[in-house]
Amino acid sequence: MRPRRHCTTGAVDTWPKIRNMNGIQEDVMPEVQAAELDKLSVEERLYRIRHSTAHVMAQAVLRLFPEGKVAIGPPIENGFYYDFDLPRNLTPEDLEAIEEHMREIVSGNHEFTRKVVDREEALSMFADQPYKLELIRDLPADQEISVYTQDSFTDLCRGPHVETTRRIQPKAFKLLSIAGAYWRGDEKRPMLQRIYGTAWENPKDLRVYLDHLKEVEKRDHRRLGKELDLFSTHEEAGPGLIYWHPKGSRIRVAIEDYWRAQHRLGGYELLYTPHVGKAWLWQTSGHLDFYKENMYAPMELDNAEYFAKPMNCPFHIMIYKTQMRSYRDLPLRWGELGTVYRYERSGVLHGLLRVRGFTQDDAHIFCTPAQVKDEIKEVLRFSLQMWDDFGFKTIKAYLATRPPKSVGDEDRWLTAQASLQEAIEEQGLEFQLDEGGGAFYGPKIDLKVKDALGREWQMTTIQFDFNLPERFDMTFIDTDGKEKRPYMVHRALLGSLERFFGVLIEHYGGAFPVWLAPTQVVVVPVASAFNDYAAGIAKRLFAAGYRAEADLSDDRMNAKIRNAQTAKVPYMLVVGENEQSAGAVSIRTRTGERKEAMSVDDFVAWLGDKVATRAEI
RNA sequence: GCCAGGAUAGCUCAGGGGUAGAGCAGCUCACUCGUAAUGAGCAGGUCGUGGGUUCAAUUCCCACUCCUGGCUCCA
C-alpha cells in the first residue's frame, strides 16, 4: 500500500476525491431520495457506496465476532475503513472470510433505512457498544441523531447511504489491509483493529484502481533505489540515514548544480554553517523548549552541551548578527543546502520520504516591511519555475493564517498574510485557506505538487517567522536612523533533497529525463572488434561533460542493450562496421525508438540540446 | 512509541525439528554476434541478534534489532 502519511493519496484526476480529515463520520451532503441517486455526481455516489460498504463490512465482522465492538467507519479517498475492538487479532485469512460474508449480505438486496432517534433511545440501542455510546454522548445537544439499518445491522450514522445493498456490486469492492489504529487517534486510548477496503461503482473501476496500486508499487522509490543502485540505508549504521550511491549521487549533483545556478540568478548568497551548536544557541532559539523531543541527544564537550542541528535558521541568524545591518543591505537572501538531524520515532521511518538526517534546500530572507510583498512574490515564482523545470506541472497552494495562540504584532501578521495571498493570486494558483492553521510564530504557504500518478506531495514551504528575530534581537537601521526589526522568511523549495529525490524517482518511475539521468549514454559495440571505436566515443562525450560510458563487457550486443534498457539509460549508441567507417553513431532510445545514424559531432550537439531543454528523452 | 506481519546467498524468493535450495547478479572458460537475456562450469549462507525447550533448533518458545502496513506529528 501507498504511504498515506506522506502524500494526499491518490489518484488520477477523474477519481473522486473524498476526504475525511478527522476520521470521524462527517457528512455535508443532504439526504436524498433513493430515486435521485443516479442524478448525483460520481463523487457523491461513490461516497455513499463506500460508506455503505463500510457498514456491510461491519455487519460481516460482527457475524464472525458477535461480541465485537464497532468504533467508526467512514469513507475515505478511494475506499473506506472501519475500526473494531475484537477478541482476537485479525489475520489476512479473516479478510477473505469477511469479504465472503459481505458478498452474501450484499446479494440479499437489503434496504438502508434511516431513522431519527432521540438521545435516550440512541443510548439504549447501543448499550453494549461503548464506542458508540461515547460518540453519542459527545454529540452536541441540538444535533439530530440518526441510525441506519441494513438487514440485521444498525449503526449510528449521519448518512447518507445508498438505498439498497444492490448498489454495492459484489465484485466492485475489496478489502486491502489490516492496521492498528488508536481510538480517536489518541495513543493513550485503546488500540483498535482497522480494516481498509476499496469500493467502486463497478468491477472495471475496481480493476483500474488495483492496477494503479500495482503501478505505485512498481514505482516505489525504495524498490527502484535498489534496482537502479541509487541509495541504501543500513540498520547497523543507523536507521533513517541515507547513503547515496555513485548513481544516486550523480543525480544529486545534477540537482544541486541546477539549484545553485538558479539561486545565483535569483539573487541569493550561499552559506555553509556547522552541524552542531551549543545549548546556548538552541536555548535562545527556543528549540530546547519546543522542539527537544525531535532533537538528537546532546553531546558533552568541555562541560558544554552540543546538539546536532534540527534546523539551519539559528546559524543564519548568527551570521546576520555579525554586523550592523542597514536598510540598504536588505533584502538579504541566504541559502544553504543544510544537513539537519531530527529524531523520528522508529515506526515512522520510510525510505527517503521520512528519515532522521536530511539536507534541506533552505534559505532565509531578511527584509524590510516595504520589501515583504515583492520578496514573497519572487519566492513563489521561483518555486513554481523550479517545479516546472523538474517536470511537475500541477501545483496547489495552502495558505495557513494566524492561530489563536501566537506571537508577533497584529499588523505584521496581516501584512505577511496579505503578501502571501497576493502572491498566490498573482500566480493564478489554486489555493485553499487554512484559517488559523499557521505556526505560532508566523503564517505560511505550503505547496503540494502532483506527480505522474496523480498523487499530491507536500514539498515547498514558505514561512514567516516573528519569533526568532525577537529571540535573537535582530535589527536593522532604517532610513530614519532608528533600529527596527527585520522580517524573516524561511523557505525550502524542494523541501529536503532526500525526500525530493524519493518523489522524483517515483514521478519518473526511475526513467529520469536526460539532464538528470545518472548515465545519459551507453555506447554498445556490436562486437569486440569495435571496442576501441566505442570507447573513443564514450571518452569524447565524457570529456564534453556528459555522463557516458562504453559497455566493453563480454556480453553479446543484445544483452548490453537490455542492461542499458533496464538501467533506464536514455540513449544507447550502437556502433559497428557501418558507424565506424562513417564516423557515426546509431541511436536507440530507452523507449525503443531507433533514430537515424548521425555523425558524432551531430550527436554531441543533439545531446546538448536535449540536456539544455531538460527533455525527458 | 503502539498494533499487526516479516527477516533464508549481493538481489528476488522457495523450504522446513535431523544443521539448506532456485533464478538473477558475481567469477572462469568458450562464443565475436546489428537493436531487450549465448552456452557451460565454479564459487557463494553461523537461515537478523541474544536467550530458552530438545539427544538435536534455521525450523518451536521468549526478548531485542531492523524492515513493511497503519495510528500521531512533520520536510
Side-chain angles (χ1 to χ4, degrees):
Chain A
M1 281 280 295
R2 70 272 171 187
R4 292 174 51 81
R5 61 190 177 279
H6 300 295
C7 66
T8 307
T9 57
V12 177
D13 273 339
T14 54
W15 291 352
K17 291 255 159 44
I18 290 158
R19 292 224 176 73
N20 189 315
M21 303 304 262
N22 54 15
I24 289 174
Q25 290 173 24
E26 66 178 358
D27 168 34
V28 289
M29 286 177 253
E31 189 59 19
V32 292
Q33 296 301 310
E36 293 176 44
L37 190 70
D38 290 321
K39 290 188 202 155
L40 293 173
S41 70
V42 83
E43 286 86 355
E44 290 174 334
R45 287 203 303 272
L46 280 170
Y47 184 98
R48 285 166 166 75
I49 287 170
R50 288 165 183 165
H51 201 171
S52 303
T53 311
H55 279 219
V56 170
M57 180 171 78
Q59 182 185 349
V61 169
L62 288 182
R63 271 194 187 175
L64 291 165
F65 301 96
E67 68 281 39
K69 307 299 176 205
V70 295
I72 56 169
I76 53 174
E77 193 164 21
N78 301 326
F80 59 90
Y81 68 81
Y82 213 116
D83 288 346
F84 304 95
D85 191 351
L86 301 173
R88 69 166 170 84
N89 289 323
L90 293 167
T91 64
E93 296 77 65
D94 289 326
L95 288 190
E96 288 168 33
I98 294 166
E99 271 188 19
E100 257 335 286
H101 280 283
M102 288 173 69
R103 294 210 167 85
E104 193 193 310
I105 293 165
V106 162
S107 58
N109 291 338
H110 306 291
E111 279 184 23
F112 280 86
T113 55
R114 179 173 192 268
K115 189 179 162 200
V116 175
V117 296
D118 63 34
R119 190 163 294 248
E120 287 313 306
E121 253 180 295
L123 289 172
S124 69
M125 282 177 87
F126 296 99
D128 61 343
Q129 288 290 350
Y131 300 102
K132 296 293 178 193
L133 290 180
E134 184 175 330
L135 291 173
I136 295 166
R137 293 204 177 97
D138 287 352
L139 288 173
D142 56 347
Q143 169 86 48
E144 184 181 79
I145 299 176
S146 61
V147 297
Y148 275 82
T149 303
Q150 91 274 1
D151 194 16
S152 61
F153 179 78
T154 298
D155 200 358
L156 173 73
C157 184
R158 214 183 314 187
H161 283 277
V162 294
E163 69 275 29
T164 102
T165 57
R166 206 172 12 218
R167 289 280 181 181
I168 302 169
Q169 293 195 21
K171 287 190 176 159
F173 69 83
K174 186 171 166 56
L175 303 187
L176 296 175
S177 60
I178 307 164
Y182 297 105
W183 169 233
R184 297 193 144 179
D186 181 347
E187 56 188 275
K188 293 187 188 65
R189 320 265 337 240
M191 170 75 67
L192 306 172
Q193 296 192 71
R194 174 170 299 178
I195 302 176
Y196 282 100
T198 186
W200 300 86
E201 285 200 281
N202 54 60
K204 186 171 149 274
D205 288 356
L206 173 66
R207 210 158 44 238
V208 168
Y209 178 65
L210 294 179
D211 285 347
H212 173 258
L213 289 185
K214 259 189 229 144
E215 182 63 28
V216 166
E217 210 181 311
K218 270 213 312 241
R219 286 179 180 237
D220 191 309
H221 71 281
R222 293 164 301 181
R223 174 190 180 129
L224 288 169
K226 217 176 264 179
E227 283 174 9
L228 302 177
D229 194 18
L230 302 176
F231 70 91
S232 58
T233 58
H234 304 272
E235 70 167 274
E236 325 84 278
L241 302 171
I242 305 302
Y243 290 68
W244 295 68
H245 294 199
K247 284 179 184 159
S249 299
R250 290 184 201 169
I251 300 173
R252 176 158 171 173
V253 168
I255 294 168
E256 289 188 2
D257 285 351
Y258 165 84
W259 189 90
R260 287 196 197 91
Q262 293 298 315
H263 278 71
R264 191 180 70 85
L265 293 173
Y268 285 77
E269 294 285 351
L270 297 188
L271 307 180
Y272 293 90
T273 64
H275 285 205
V276 296
K278 260 167 76 172
W280 172 86
L281 193 66
W282 308 111
Q283 203 71 61
T284 307
S285 69
H287 283 95
L288 286 182
D289 293 329
F290 301 112
Y291 207 71
K292 195 166 183 188
E293 70 280 9
N294 279 304
M295 292 169 68
Y296 271 56
M299 300 164 257
E300 191 157 319
L301 224 70
D302 296 337
N303 292 322
E305 283 186 332
Y306 287 78
F307 290 84
K309 66 173 168 183
M311 293 184 192
N312 303 301
C313 5
F315 296 87
H316 290 197
I317 292 172
M318 293 306 289
I319 296 175
Y320 182 93
K321 284 177 64 80
T322 56
Q323 293 180 24
M324 192 86 109
R325 303 287 174 181
S326 153
Y327 73 95
R328 294 173 195 272
D329 299 328
L330 304 182
L332 290 170
R333 307 184 193 99
W334 287 350
E336 177 178 14
L337 293 170
T339 303
V340 298
Y341 291 88
R342 298 181 187 174
Y343 173 74
E344 299 283 359
R345 294 150 125 195
S346 62
V348 305
L349 298 175
H350 181 92
L352 292 171
L353 301 180
R354 182 68 162 196
V355 295
R356 283 181 175 163
F358 55 98
T359 301
Q360 292 181 307
D361 72 315
D362 210 357
H364 297 94
I365 296 167
F366 306 104
C367 67
T368 69
Q371 294 165 335
V372 163
K373 209 169 270 181
D374 286 344
E375 286 302 310
I376 293 295
K377 282 182 189 169
E378 173 54 22
V379 170
L380 194 61
R381 188 208 59 77
F382 188 13
S383 185
L384 293 176
Q385 184 202 318
M386 200 172 278
W387 287 114
D388 192 60
D389 285 347
F390 278 111
F392 295 86
K393 306 300 182 188
T394 309
I395 314 288
K396 248 160 91 184
Y398 294 79
L399 171 58
T401 62
R402 182 166 201 164
K405 266 190 161 179
S406 49
V407 301
D409 300 337
E410 181 67 14
D411 57 323
R412 284 171 83 85
W413 274 86
L414 293 176
T415 309
Q417 285 165 192
S419 59
L420 288 173
Q421 181 155 349
E422 204 174 299
I424 294 173
E425 283 165 355
E426 187 162 294
Q427 292 294 335
L429 268 184
E430 191 188 330
F431 82 101
Q432 264 177 32
L433 194 60
D434 183 4
E435 203 81 60
F440 77 91
Y441 50 82
K444 64 172 177 177
I445 296 176
D446 286 334
L447 296 187
K448 286 190 183 176
V449 309
K450 199 178 261 194
D451 74 9
L453 293 183
R455 300 170 301 175
E456 284 186 354
W457 304 86
Q458 209 241 284
M459 307 298 286
T460 301
T461 182
I462 303 169
Q463 178 131 33
F464 276 89
D465 194 327
F466 299 136
N467 186 43
L468 290 179
E470 292 287 335
R471 284 176 165 269
F472 282 92
D473 192 27
M474 297 171 71
T475 58
F476 70 96
I477 309 296
D478 206 352
T479 48
D480 57 6
K482 290 191 177 137
E483 280 197 351
K484 295 195 181 149
R485 198 69 84 202
Y487 273 87
M488 175 174 176
V489 176
H490 170 109
R491 45 117 285 198
L493 303 187
L494 303 175
S496 80
L497 291 181
E498 284 75 8
R499 200 152 107 85
F500 173 67
F501 190 34
V503 172
L504 195 68
I505 293 169
E506 301 205 359
H507 179 60
Y508 286 113
F512 298 100
V514 190
W515 71 289
L516 292 170
T519 304
Q520 296 166 314
V521 178
V522 169
V523 188
V524 176
V526 303
S528 57
F530 308 102
N531 277 4
D532 287 348
Y533 182 63
I537 291 169
K539 200 170 163 193
R540 181 159 166 208
L541 291 169
F542 188 82
Y546 298 108
R547 299 182 287 276
E549 52 203 54
D551 185 345
L552 306 182
S553 69
D554 278 346
D555 284 333
R556 297 174 73 204
M557 180 204 64
N558 275 312
K560 292 180 184 186
I561 288 172
R562 181 167 198 275
N563 289 339
Q565 188 78 44
T566 51
K568 302 180 196 292
V569 175
Y571 303 120
M572 289 150 254
L573 303 183
V574 179
V575 296
E577 181 57 42
N578 302 339
E579 288 76 14
Q580 186 169 33
S581 54
V585 295
S586 73
I587 305 166
R588 180 191 208 277
T589 70
R590 69 178 162 216
T591 52
E593 196 186 341
R594 283 175 67 170
K595 301 206 180 290
E596 237 172 282
M598 57 174 90
S599 73
V600 179
D601 284 337
D602 286 350
F603 178 72
V604 172
W606 186 78
L607 181 60
D609 181 61
K610 292 293 183 184
V611 169
T613 57
R614 301 192 183 90
E616 281 201 32
I617 191 73

